[in-house]
Amino acid sequence: MSKTFLVTRPKHDRTTHYLFNWAKAIIELAKSKSIEVLDLQGSRANKKEFTGVVSKKQPLFIFFNGHGNKNLICGHDDEALVRADDNENLLKGKIVYALSCSAGMKLGPRSIKSGALSFVGYKEDFIFFYDDTKVNKPLSDNTARLFLYPSNYVAHSLIKGHTVGESCKRSREQFMKSIQKIATEESDSYLLPYLVWDMKHQVCLG
């Protein structure tokens, strides 16, 4: 893994609040490996700053957290950071993990075509649930953990030095652990199809 790692962490609604906080462990892991962390958090996760940091620092690995659709990945206040057929060339030579709805459907393949080394994301909506009583302490939310720990395991494994393919495999293994856990707990059985959905629609391109 390169000694420079870029993470985007907008924090303007409940979804991004959760992703913002759950990415902290990835940041700490990177720092423990003496990797320089470029943390575009809150309002800094905007197109101008993202473009400038990528162009100047050329991080090998970019971890996006935020909303999106098949064409784009968003930052603060849902401003598009990267858009298909616009500026996906910014991802040339990069390993990308997008924890963002549907970005693996169109933006992912276009990024690979423009020279991205790999693009891991989701070809449909990424869905997760959380406990309303834990919103102020998202890292103690065991419902959210079922989804966000496995999804973040892609980034975790990459930073630990595993290949992109191995990292996707390890992430899916963590999803299976969540699925197996829920399969034995009748009260949370409604979560099961959504965990299967996320695991099924994770894509590893490049």
Side-chain angles (χ1 to χ4, degrees):
M1 177 56 61
S2 164
K3 293 300 182 182
T4 305
F5 160 54
L6 173 60
V7 56
T8 68
R9 293 196 299 151
K11 189 184 178 185
H12 57 271
D13 61 14
R14 192 161 289 185
T15 295
T16 53
H17 167 72
Y18 266 80
L19 301 187
F20 176 98
N21 281 282
W22 275 86
K24 288 178 179 177
I26 305 301
I27 291 169
E28 291 307 311
L29 176 62
K31 289 179 178 178
S32 76
K33 299 289 185 181
S34 299
I35 296 171
E36 179 186 7
V37 177
L38 309 170
D39 182 12
L40 297 185
Q41 58 176 290
S43 62
R44 291 191 64 210
N46 61 72
K47 184 178 181 180
K48 181 179 179 181
E49 190 144 4
F50 172 77
T51 301
V53 168
V54 171
S55 299
K56 181 179 180 181
K57 292 286 191 174
Q58 292 294 322
L60 174 61
F61 177 34
I62 301 176
F63 178 24
F64 290 102
N65 293 272
H67 294 291
N69 61 41
K70 66 180 182 180
N71 294 302
L72 56 84
I73 298 170
C74 297
H76 180 64
D77 282 344
D78 295 338
E79 178 185 9
L81 301 181
V82 183
R83 187 189 301 269
D85 301 322
D86 177 23
N87 64 339
E88 70 269 30
N89 62 302
L90 280 172
L91 305 180
K92 182 178 181 180
K94 312 290 188 290
I95 296 169
V96 177
Y97 176 43
L99 186 48
S100 179
C101 287
S102 305
M105 183 185 297
K106 181 178 177 181
L107 177 59
R110 294 296 174 89
S111 299
I112 296 298
K113 188 176 180 179
S114 293
L117 298 178
S118 298
F119 188 105
V120 182
Y122 298 85
K123 61 183 179 181
E124 296 289 349
D125 287 351
F126 177 82
I127 300 170
F128 75 94
F129 286 74
Y130 53 82
D131 183 342
D132 285 322
T133 69
K134 300 288 187 179
V135 170
N136 292 327
K137 295 182 178 180
L139 296 181
S140 66
D141 187 334
N142 289 326
T143 300
R145 180 183 177 84
L146 292 166
F147 296 85
L148 298 180
Y149 185 82
S151 60
N152 279 5
Y153 216 79
V154 174
H156 175 97
S157 296
L158 284 167
I159 288 171
K160 293 277 277 189
H162 297 290
T163 67
V164 175
E166 288 171 341
S167 297
C168 290
K169 180 176 181 289
R170 288 167 181 262
S171 171
R172 293 188 188 110
E173 288 171 350
Q174 294 299 323
F175 271 114
M176 280 303 304
K177 288 182 180 180
S178 288
I179 289 166
Q180 290 164 358
K181 181 177 188 299
I182 290 302
T184 65
E185 298 179 6
E186 186 175 336
S187 62
D188 291 330
S189 60
Y190 72 95
L191 298 172
L192 196 57
Y194 300 102
L195 286 162
V196 173
W197 171 272
D198 288 341
M199 181 179 69
K200 178 182 176 182
H201 291 103
Q202 186 186 92
V203 293
C204 183
L205 307 172

